[in-house]
Amino acid sequence: QNWTRGMSYCLHSESHLDTGPIYVRENGKLHMVNQGAGGIQNVTPKTRPFRLFSRGFSVELCMNREDDRARRQRTDHFIFTYTKEGNLRYSAKSLFSLVLGYISDNVDHIDSLIGFPEQIAEKLFSAAEARQKFTEPVTGLRALQKFTEAYGNLVLCSLCLRNRYLVISEKLEEIKSFRELTCLDLSCCKLGDEHELLEHLTKEALSSVKRLLLKDNSLSDAGLRRMTAPVRVLKKGLENLLVLDLSCNPKITDVGIGYLLSFKKLNCLDISGTGLKDVNAVIKRIQMQIGLVHSKVPLKEFDHSNCKTEGWAEQTVLQWEQAVMEARKSQDDLRSRTAALRFYGKTRRIEDVVKYKLVEAETKASGNLQFYKERVQNCHLPLKKEVAGSHELRNNKKRALAEQEKERTSKQKHLCLSVEDWDLLNTY
């Protein structure tokens, strides 16, 4: 009885709370505590509804607040959509998408992807690309190398870096990780003969390049000698090259054109705007030794319309360019602020050095030196023309034999290499 009086006192002290009826089990029976009289009534409980929680009570369902990152990842496991009635509905993601997201978040920890199905690898690459994993300085390069080692030209088969010298300087190691490229456009980048990327062109990883555009890159005869050394001596490097653009490089002379004669598979060549001295002699030499004919009309192969970035990493290259442009924009904003301060006399005016942009050098129509290989004519011709053409075939055979004899006699000349050639070849 004392216990019930104490309970009744507590109930009266907290009467402002709507706790509802209280039941006590005693001697196997259920009794309801009467708040008004302070005693216990041996009655059966009424079925009136009661509130488990008071009005205004709210609850938040969450994970451990100490691990906010894990809580955010757990919310990504659901897809929230709205129905036609405006109700919010959620559904759980598939196990495949959850695993794909987890691996893409930790893509830099992958040991190897060799032998992994390319259909799944493409989805994994897209997921990591959406998270901008390949833009990170160190981990992005490591992850990109795993994909390029396993899938080669699927990651990127064509790369256009025309007039993007800043991207090359910022992402040089990433660009060098691409393998089995078939088209590479480096026009208007002012690389020069000593650039590391030009040295990388002679490596075995880029022996698949068939279309190389090096317009307006400040190249000279020394750069061409270095670029063609593996082809001339080791029969490696850019031996599969079909289209080569060396226009707008005024430091290339007749000597440098002689190094290009080792590209026997060339179909198109552009040397417009170079520093040739005897143009007619160069034209005859190219026609006799490579079989390329001087074109009087500009060729479509050198209008740069067909060269574009293609492959899984197409958006990755755009992300690199966007990051570089944002960094450059911040510098331009800083310059505009300093210019404003100078205008109001808050800082001393200093004459800035004029920085010339990398503008593409245009060549005159009279200096057009583009070459192409004549295709074999169709056999649907009259017999007279075929008989007349047989004499040309005989003359071509004689020329071919003469060229073979020249090559045999010139073997000794190839063996007499300079010290720079030997140093270059020892790097392979």
Side-chain angles (χ1 to χ4, degrees), residues 212-224:
L212 181 59
L213 307 178
L214 295 173
K215 181 179 183 179
D216 192 14
N217 269 283
S218 303
L219 298 177
S220 64
D221 297 339
L224 295 184

Side-chain angles (χ1 to χ4, degrees), residues 329-341:
K329 185 178 179 180
S330 61
Q331 294 179 358
D332 294 339
D333 294 340
L334 181 61
R335 293 174 184 173
S336 62
R337 293 175 185 174
T338 55
L341 293 175

